[in-house]
């Protein structure tokens, strides 16, 4: 019998910045102990290049990631849904745990402006792992 992993969905409008960074940090720090998804209510065509660069500085390569559309199925399959500025575009299902992380939007920003957003996301991901009872990977 396999142990069930908690499932987390990160949602922002374009799925090109904040949600991509959060998903990458949770995937990296949670190793294979958390199922991670990210999506956007109106996905961009590519991940923000400044976000890719800022994550590379943290040792995480997200250059192959692509923004994905938010689906009802993704929300239903997740235990925790973390929104990052998607407002009313995020579907709500009773019984799901919702968190809303107020973070600056890195859209149109350079890597210098993205770094503090990245660092705050990493801090919150570490806190989320602690809440889930998962020790962060080294």
């Amino acid at each position: 019998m396999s142990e069930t992993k908690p499932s987390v969905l990160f949602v922002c409008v374009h799925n090109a910045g904040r949600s991509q960074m959060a998903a990458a940090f949770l995937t990296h720090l949670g190793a294979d102990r958390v199922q991670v998804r990210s999506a956007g209510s109106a996905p961009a065509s590519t991940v923000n290049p400044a976000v890719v660069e800022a994550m590379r500085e943290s040792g995480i390569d997200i250059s192959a990631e692509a923004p994905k559309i938010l689906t009802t199925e993704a929300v239903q399959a997740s235990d925790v849904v973390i929104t990052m500025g998607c407002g009313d575009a995020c579907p709500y299902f009773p019984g799901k745990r919702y968190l809303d992380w107020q973070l600056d939007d890195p859209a149109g920003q350079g890597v210098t402006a993205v770094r503090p957003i990245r660092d705050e996301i990493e801090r919150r991901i570490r806190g989320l792992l602690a809440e889930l009872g998962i020790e962060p990977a080294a």
Side-chain angles (χ1 to χ4, degrees):
M1 188 178 225
S2 66
E3 180 182 313
T4 57
K5 299 179 200 178
S7 177
V8 179
L9 170 64
F10 296 99
V11 183
C12 66
V13 175
H14 300 297
N15 191 223
R18 295 166 289 189
S19 57
Q20 289 284 348
M21 288 189 282
F25 274 124
L26 187 56
T27 298
H28 180 75
L29 296 170
D32 62 350
R33 297 164 293 171
V34 182
Q35 186 177 30
V36 182
R37 296 179 180 85
S38 73
S41 53
S45 56
T46 61
V47 174
N48 179 333
V51 166
V52 172
E53 178 59 31
M55 291 303 290
R56 187 176 289 122
E57 291 174 359
S58 290
I60 300 173
D61 181 8
I62 63 168
S63 60
E65 295 297 326
K68 295 167 278 309
I69 187 74
L70 176 64
T71 65
T72 300
E73 294 77 22
V75 177
Q76 289 175 318
S78 301
D79 300 312
V80 181
V81 179
I82 299 176
T83 59
M84 303 170 165
C86 70
D88 294 336
C90 297
Y92 178 82
F93 293 95
K96 300 287 174 197
R97 179 174 176 209
Y98 287 86
L99 299 171
D100 185 41
W101 288 359
Q102 297 293 320
L103 297 159
D104 290 337
D105 188 347
Q109 303 293 320
V111 71
T112 302
V114 172
R115 286 182 188 120
I117 302 167
R118 173 202 65 200
D119 295 345
E120 176 61 16
I121 289 171
E122 181 180 9
R123 185 189 71 74
R124 292 182 189 205
I125 291 298
R126 289 180 180 278
L128 177 64
L129 284 167
E131 287 177 34
L132 295 172
I134 297 171
E135 187 69 29

